Amino acid sequence: MRVGELSRRSGVSVPSIKYYLREGLLPAGERTGPNQASYGDEHLRRLRLIRALIDVGGLSVAATRAVLGAVDDDTMALHSVLGVAQAAVTQVGEPAEDEALAGATAVVDDLVARRGWAVHADSPGRRAAADVLATWSRLGAPTHPGPDAYAEAVEALAAQEVGGVITDDREEVVEGAVLGIVLGGALLSALRSMAQEDASARRLADPMG
Amino acid sequence: MRVGELSRRSGVSVPSIKYYLREGLLPAGERTGPNQASYGDEHLRRLRLIRALIDVGGLSVAATRAVLGAVDDDTMALHSVLGVAQAAVTQVGEPAEDEALAGATAVVDDLVARRGWAVHADSPGRRAAADVLATWSRLGAPTHPGPDAYAEAVEALAAQEVGGVITDDREEVVEGAVLGIVLGGALLSALRSMAQEDASARRLADPMG
């Protein structure tokens, strides 16, 4: 199909398609003339995946490129592809190296050890969790439920999420797993927002709470 | 204190401080000369809050402005302030109005009804959840655990999160609650990433999984 039909069928504008081509997110079509190319169903599928990652998952173009590169690398083990997707959805800043961070890192290390989690020392989730806890402690904010409450919330879910993606087709497995990580994160956030609204409506029925 | 000391004590550069002043995130200091102003501890506290929301929570400047506006509005009920913070962390695009979205909206409505959640019809979490589920269904991706698995993961946590912020000082309550929503989301995401890494390491020990 030509780029106009690809746009119509995907719901993605032609300028956006050209942008994704330039940025290397979408592979080039088959050249059919000096200014023309032909696209196939694999381009349509890829465009839908790109929009899911960017629009719904909130990934940056750079993070999307990294994730798609891993998806397309047939030599990469699934565990490693998942690691790239997990890194893409995990915000890690450049935390100040202070006592708060040292304390928070020890708390996270202890949590990982107690729960027996097989997690690399330089896993982005580990650094991001320490960064959040250090920030909380620097702000002297009122007590939050503590990291174990959050760990318990995701532990059983993560096992279901990872267990659900096993089929025989590598492309399907990998895309499904990446979508699970990215879209699942957005779904978890949306449902947490609703569950909080519910808890807040019950607890804070009076004007000031 | 002068702006230089505010920068040193907060770890935020002078240009960033001036940017936050221009953007209305940080209230103006007390004018002490034609080009000079004096800042107090409340500015230091506000700067730390701004950086936590933006750097660790990943909020945009616009979302941060909305959240701080709600924090500063003494007439706003805590439940409403939390709603503003929940909206700020919930990504809602402009989903295509198609059958997939209609089906996903029905699934979310059913989930809310079954769980007895007190959630507004136009809650951003509700729309975001429907958007994610519709995207998943349009992609025909392999089965994910289903929305109830995600709802169960956050239900008990949200009650603890909302229950933990009750003290007597409005400013402390409101800031603590907002931080709980924003930082708690980042913490949940980081721990989910680690729990997935662990589950993936156990399930996918062989190269291809």
Side-chain angles (χ1 to χ4, degrees):
Chain A
M1 72 192 94
R2 303 266 288 274
V3 69
E5 187 184 349
L6 182 64
S7 168
R8 195 178 49 70
R9 288 183 58 191
S10 64
V12 178
S13 72
V14 172
S16 291
I17 291 176
K18 292 190 170 169
Y19 174 67
Y20 297 146
L21 286 165
R22 278 199 309 278
E23 290 290 326
L25 302 189
L26 188 67
E30 193 187 338
R31 185 161 293 274
T32 55
N35 272 311
Q36 266 184 26
S38 168
Y39 300 91
D41 282 345
E42 70 280 13
H43 290 93
L44 192 57
R45 174 172 175 165
R46 175 52 53 99
L47 263 183
R48 288 182 174 143
L49 181 59
I50 292 169
R51 291 308 279 250
L53 297 177
I54 292 179
D55 291 354
V56 184
L59 294 199
S60 67
V61 166
T64 303
R65 189 189 299 113
V67 168
L68 294 174
V71 165
D72 291 337
D73 182 352
D74 290 343
T75 67
M76 195 182 273
L78 180 53
H79 179 64
S80 303
V81 179
L82 300 194
V84 173
Q86 281 146 9
V89 297
T90 306
Q91 169 134 353
V92 183
E94 293 186 16
E97 302 278 344
D98 61 2
E99 272 181 40
L101 186 67
T105 302
V107 167
V108 172
D109 288 350
D110 175 62
L111 178 142
V112 169
R114 274 187 294 104
R115 306 195 87 89
W117 282 357
V119 172
H120 261 276
D122 59 353
S123 167
R126 196 188 271 263
R127 282 181 294 142
D131 191 14
V132 172
L133 292 175
T135 303
W136 233 320
S137 117
R138 280 185 212 111
L139 287 160
T143 352
H144 55 88
D148 275 279
Y150 291 87
E152 263 148 44
V154 290
E155 203 166 46
L157 178 68
Q160 287 182 70
E161 288 182 301
V162 169
V165 298
I166 311 306
T167 78
D168 287 336
D169 175 339
R170 183 190 189 274
E171 190 177 4
E172 195 183 330
V173 168
V174 166
E175 284 192 15
V178 163
L179 282 170
I181 288 169
V182 178
L183 295 184
L187 182 60
L188 190 65
S189 170
L191 290 173
R192 173 171 173 265
S193 172
M194 281 197 277
Q196 286 180 339
E197 183 180 340
D198 170 65
S200 163
R202 289 170 200 282
R203 290 285 303 231
L204 312 172
D206 63 288
M208 174 52 215
Chain B
M1 72 191 94
R2 302 265 288 276
V3 70
E5 188 184 347
L6 182 63
S7 168
R8 194 178 51 71
R9 286 182 59 191
S10 65
V12 178
S13 71
V14 172
S16 291
I17 291 175
K18 292 190 169 167
Y19 174 67
Y20 297 146
L21 287 164
R22 278 200 309 277
E23 290 290 325
L25 302 189
L26 188 66
E30 193 188 337
R31 185 161 293 274
T32 53
N35 272 309
Q36 265 184 25
S38 167
Y39 301 90
D41 282 345
E42 70 279 13
H43 291 93
L44 192 57
R45 175 172 174 164
R46 175 51 53 100
L47 263 183
R48 289 183 174 142
L49 181 59
I50 292 170
R51 291 309 279 252
L53 297 177
I54 293 179
D55 292 353
V56 184
L59 294 198
S60 67
V61 167
T64 303
R65 189 189 299 112
V67 168
L68 294 175
V71 165
D72 291 338
D73 181 352
D74 289 343
T75 67
M76 194 182 276
L78 180 54
H79 180 63
S80 304
V81 179
L82 299 194
V84 173
Q86 281 146 9
V89 296
T90 306
Q91 168 133 353
V92 184
E94 293 185 15
E97 302 279 344
D98 60 3
E99 274 180 39
L101 186 67
T105 302
V107 167
V108 173
D109 288 351
D110 175 62
L111 178 142
V112 169
R114 275 186 294 105
R115 305 194 87 90
W117 282 358
V119 173
H120 262 275
D122 59 354
S123 166
R126 197 188 270 263
R127 282 182 294 142
D131 191 13
V132 173
L133 292 175
T135 302
W136 234 319
S137 116
R138 281 185 211 112
L139 286 161
T143 352
H144 54 89
D148 276 279
Y150 291 87
E152 263 148 43
V154 289
E155 203 167 46
L157 178 68
Q160 288 182 69
E161 288 181 300
V162 169
V165 298
I166 312 306
T167 79
D168 288 334
D169 174 341
R170 185 192 188 273
E171 190 178 4
E172 196 183 331
V173 168
V174 166
E175 285 192 13
V178 163
L179 281 171
I181 288 169
V182 177
L183 294 185
L187 182 60
L188 190 65
S189 170
L191 290 172
R192 173 173 173 265
S193 172
M194 280 196 276
Q196 285 180 339
E197 183 180 340
D198 169 65
S200 164
R202 289 170 199 283
R203 290 285 304 231
L204 312 172
D206 63 288
M208 176 50 216

